[in-house]
Amino acid sequence: MEIFSNLQTGLSTALQFDNLLFCFVGVALGTVVGMLPGIGALSTISMLLPITFYMEPTTAIIMLAGVFYGAQYGGSTASILLNIPGTATNAVTCLDGYPMAKNGRAGVALGITTIVSFLGGSFSIIVLMFLAPVIADLALSFAAPEYFAVILFGLIAASTMSSGSVLKGLAMVCVGIVFGLVGLDLNTGVPRFQFGFVELSDGMSIVALAMGLFGVAEILANLLHADGSPFKVQDVTLKSLFPNKQEVKDSTAPTIRGMIIGCVCGILPGTGATIASFLAYATEKRLSKHPEKFGTGIVEGIAAPEAANNASVQSAFIPTLALGIPGDAVMAVMLGALMIHGIAPGPGLVRQHPDLFWGLVMSFWIGNVMLLALNLPLIGMFVRILRIPYDALYIAMLLFICLGVFSIRNNIFDIFLVIAFGVVGLGMILGKYPAAPLLLGFLLGPMLEENMRRALLVSRGDFLIFFRSPVSSIFVIMSLVVLGLGLIKPILNLVKRWRGQAA
Amino acid sequence: MIRSNWTWSETFGGLVVALFGLGVCLEALHYPLGHLTRMGPGFLPIVVGVMVVLLGLSIAFGKEKSVEIKPRNLRAPVFVFASLLAWALLLKPAGLVIATMALVVIAAFAHPKPNPKRVLITLVVLPVMSTIVFVYGLGLPIRPFAFL
């Protein structure tokens, strides 16, 4: 059985001392930043990127991934205890988690969210183990037209299916593509959008982009709305964590539905953990015999969304690792980390770097078990972290951003780039322009162009080549459908407005 | 704390996006366009640039539901960007310690209620820590004090 030897390879990679250590560092850090409302997984991973330069690629990815799924465990803690989501994906957990805490059942809420987080994560890891290699094998036969179609679909879906304005999402994808094209054109050597800066010949640094758009902008977003007072947190004891029989019974079915919803949302581009948790909550409310009780502090209302968001962060690795197409911003940064190490993402990854792929998969198991241990017995200790005042944090984060960006190429230019992207990011926060599509465009833009060029070269300029193979025609048609569905409302609005003016 | 009635204008935002797209198109016109059989480096930028212009204009004049964000602490961006700029400008001429101290002092004012005690602790801890970790630990080519 091939799978067993793969699992063995993976396990021996994941159990190497460095990988174990950084897996622990990742998940512990993830729990902490997930818990702290001022800082999330995305900005943390962006800030950690420079450190990964000093690591083996497998170790780096294991650590970054640990931060990502660890944050989902930590995030619910702030939702329950403070009524402030630790990360955006835990926003729904506030609805029933905080009332539970007010009723004196904070412990049970924390216990249940940790256990269902583990179950949701485990479910998606199993799906990942079986589905990713299959998809990757199918994708090995892909040529340029298929790649073009899949990337196009990824970009369009990511910008139209996420929450918020479709127009803004699409605009940001396009802006991202432009940023991605900066530098020397690989085919002709023509410098594009360089404006004489030699530092830009290799393209803009993804670290500077991510730090500016996610690191600096997130600090600003917090400071803009801060009123400066620290949080008050109650203590949590180990004994209070365990749910009773009725609570276990009530949360079983919601957990199972939540993890299936989460797993599917994670695989689809654009629908990440946030949408998964909202969808899971809405589903439970609709199926429930007593929907009026939602929001008063019932276990169904925290089990479903927490199972969903953890399932979704693990299954998000499926398109990223199997196809090299990231579905959201965190996955895009993660792919960026791989590319920094010279590992080309794509369907070849599973076969060419089995130690990386299977090592990562096995580290997910190890990391999730570590998280279970961190979040159950040690939760009382972690909760105190919430008392750290934000003013002590953000200054250190700013310095870390500066040092991190500088350390990559030892040049000051990249810091100015961070400032520029910080300004752009600030504008995007104020105007509610989504940042994830921009990063996806930045990363996938060059791949899109390259594959389009190749496809049109083969077909001698005939666009019908994208409809010649079933895979590419399916994805092109799906892209057009998704685009059309997303644009119906804005177009109707425009038409209405023009008619209104004419009358 | 500074409170304001400032709100975001969709028209302004959309026009900025459209202008960016226009700039992209104008710049990309200088690159060889190529033709469909052999796309030149100017092909995709122009296509994307035109799309950005169109999307920007539809955001500006499309009248979607306008966003309502009222920031409470408008001085934060000014001080955060100033602190980063100060660090970048001071690093080479003054050294890591001074650049970091400048960053701490300026960034502290971005907080709505700066706490003098914690700022003072940060002012000592961060330069020392960063020098130990990044200069002596990781060996970054920066001097702690440029004039020593």
Side-chain angles (χ1 to χ4, degrees), chain A residues 73 114-115 118 367-378:
Chain A
Y73 279 77
T114 303
I115 296 164
F118 181 78
N368 271 286
V369 173
M370 283 176 177
L371 281 164
L372 208 53
L374 281 178
N375 280 275
L376 286 178
L378 298 179

Side-chain angles (χ1 to χ4, degrees), chain A residues 108-189:
Chain A
V108 178
L110 291 172
I112 287 183
T113 51
T114 303
I115 296 164
V116 301
S117 291
F118 181 78
L119 294 174
S122 307
F123 175 70
S124 278
I125 303 172
I126 295 172
V127 175
L128 166 71
M129 281 163 62
F130 290 99
L131 202 56
V134 176
I135 295 179
D137 277 351
L138 285 178
L140 275 179
S141 59
F142 280 14
E146 283 88 358
Y147 269 120
F148 172 82
V150 173
I151 295 170
L152 186 73
F153 176 70
L155 286 177
I156 289 179
S159 50
T160 54
M161 278 155 77
S162 58
S163 48
S165 157
V166 174
L167 291 176
K168 287 177 182 171
L170 286 170
M172 288 304 104
V173 161
C174 294
V175 171
I177 293 177
V178 172
F179 285 148
L181 296 178
V182 171
L184 290 182
D185 175 37
L186 286 179
N187 286 22
T188 54

Side-chain angles (χ1 to χ4, degrees), chain A residues 366-447:
Chain A
I366 297 172
N368 271 286
V369 173
M370 283 176 177
L371 281 164
L372 208 53
L374 281 178
N375 280 275
L376 286 178
L378 298 179
I379 187 85
M381 200 183 77
F382 269 107
V383 163
R384 296 207 187 108
I385 290 168
L386 283 173
R387 297 197 182 120
I388 297 176
Y390 193 63
D391 54 357
L393 263 179
Y394 77 89
I395 299 180
M397 279 159 66
L398 284 174
L399 176 66
F400 200 70
I401 288 173
C402 286
L403 279 166
V405 172
F406 177 80
S407 71
I408 298 168
R409 300 199 287 188
N410 295 327
N411 76 27
I412 302 274
F413 180 84
D414 283 351
I415 297 174
F416 292 119
L417 216 53
V418 170
I419 297 175
F421 280 122
V423 174
V424 174
L426 175 67
M428 288 168 65
I429 288 175
L430 291 175
K432 287 210 171 162
Y433 286 78
L438 198 157
L439 189 68
L440 289 178
F442 174 78
L443 210 69
L444 297 180
M447 286 157 73

Side-chain angles (χ1 to χ4, degrees), chain A residues 179-185 190-194 200-204:
Chain A
F179 285 148
L181 296 178
V182 171
L184 290 182
D185 175 37
V190 174
R192 290 192 283 186
F193 305 107
Q194 236 174 284
L200 289 175
S201 334
D202 295 337
M204 283 196 220

